[in-house]
Amino acid sequence: MINMTSHISTDITQGVMQISINRPEKKNALSQQMYRGLTLALQQAQQDDKVRVVLLIGTDSCFSAGNDLQDFLGAGELNAQHPTVQFLYELAQFTKPLVAAVAGLAIGIGTTALLHCDLVYAADNARFQLPFTQLGLCPEAASSVLLPNVAGYQRAAQYLLLGEAFDAAAALSMGMVNQVVSPAELMALAQQKAQQLAALPADAVQCSKALLKRSQLAHTKETIAAELVQFQRLLHSSESQARIAAFFQR
């Protein structure tokens, strides 16, 4: 077990790097330090030939409640040096298989990150939400193109414009997750699928992933960049600042 930060750790077993998000006191909200840890973990997995698959997990009761807003607001402009931005691009261009196991809350980046994963398994207690407009903001992580690709325009608009929460059954029906099981079964299933991938010829698996993503990778990166421009603009708007201030007063 290697601690990338105090809340991000990795462990490699039989070709699978498990990246764990563990900040339960903040519902696994991601700080800039945690984004750095996640980016570093993905970079190490990319460079290590012994790593064939990455499995991303949270805790038993929470995948991630999204950005640690207070920390995020103090991190400066959304430029190439910003830890959140670096993580988004690392995630989008990662060439090895990415598997996610999701239990409990998956809010904001906790949901949009899943759109970059190749296989997603959810516990039946998983709850997803993309509350960007509720904070006076816009989608991020290329979710404005990836979610319509998965769910179709109308359902993507429902979740990205209204910011309505949805459960694991809805995520399954729209194709955002591969399978839903009980919380007690989740880790065993995700680990089994990750090991199944790791046992296959790595070159063939990575080549197949590259072909699957070939038509969308450039568009994904362009969309991340376009979203960041608008996200930065909206973040400084009076409406967004009022909404965020109200969030902190809850």
Side-chain angles (χ1 to χ4, degrees):
M1 179 76 71
I2 300 173
N3 287 317
M4 313 305 290
T5 75
S6 57
H7 303 298
I8 304 293
S9 60
T10 63
D11 181 71
I12 301 174
T13 303
Q14 296 181 313
V16 177
M17 175 187 279
Q18 182 169 291
I19 303 177
S20 303
I21 305 169
N22 187 19
R23 194 190 184 194
E25 71 280 6
K26 292 287 188 178
K27 298 181 180 178
N28 287 350
L30 298 177
S31 66
Q32 297 308 295
Q33 183 187 38
M34 292 167 72
Y35 277 117
R36 290 188 191 96
L38 288 168
T39 300
L40 181 58
L42 289 176
Q43 289 171 341
Q44 290 189 357
Q46 186 71 65
Q47 295 161 9
D48 188 344
D49 290 339
K50 296 191 296 296
V51 175
R52 290 168 170 250
V53 179
V54 165
L55 173 59
L56 182 62
I57 69 169
T59 59
D60 293 341
S61 59
C62 186
F63 183 67
S64 174
N67 270 322
D68 180 329
L69 271 178
Q70 197 156 24
D71 180 81
F72 176 79
L73 292 171
E77 295 293 309
L78 292 168
N79 55 30
Q81 286 70 51
H82 196 287
T84 302
V85 175
Q86 291 176 343
F87 171 68
L88 294 181
Y89 283 108
E90 197 66 40
L91 189 64
Q93 64 197 16
F94 191 71
T95 64
K96 296 181 180 182
L98 269 169
V99 181
V102 184
L105 293 177
I107 297 175
I109 188 69
T111 291
T112 59
L114 303 176
L115 298 170
H116 295 273
C117 294
D118 304 294
L119 297 171
V120 180
Y121 299 97
D124 56 22
N125 68 348
R127 294 295 179 271
F128 305 88
Q129 191 173 13
L130 301 160
F132 303 113
T133 58
Q134 295 178 7
L135 292 171
L137 299 170
C138 67
E140 38 91 306
S143 56
S144 62
V145 68
L146 295 179
L147 189 59
N149 284 350
V150 170
Y153 178 82
Q154 304 305 69
R155 277 194 288 192
Q158 177 181 350
Y159 299 128
L160 285 171
L161 298 183
L162 292 172
E164 293 181 348
F166 55 100
D167 61 15
L172 179 66
S173 72
M174 75 174 78
M176 204 182 84
V177 306
N178 295 84
Q179 192 173 341
V180 177
V181 295
S182 71
E185 298 171 299
L186 177 63
M187 280 308 301
L189 174 64
Q191 288 170 343
Q192 181 240 315
K193 294 296 185 180
Q195 291 291 350
Q196 189 177 333
L197 273 173
L200 294 168
D203 191 9
V205 172
Q206 290 178 43
C207 177
S208 298
K209 172 172 176 170
L211 289 168
L212 279 164
K213 289 189 172 274
R214 178 171 173 266
S215 65
Q216 72 180 46
L217 182 57
H219 191 198
T220 297
K221 290 182 177 179
E222 289 169 3
T223 303
I224 289 173
E227 289 172 347
L228 285 169
V229 169
Q230 297 305 322
F231 198 100
Q232 182 76 67
R233 179 183 67 82
L234 290 167
L235 191 61
H236 293 296
S237 71
S238 57
E239 282 188 313
S240 179
Q241 290 183 11
R243 293 266 179 166
I244 291 171
F247 173 84
F248 285 124
Q249 291 168 7
R250 289 191 309 187

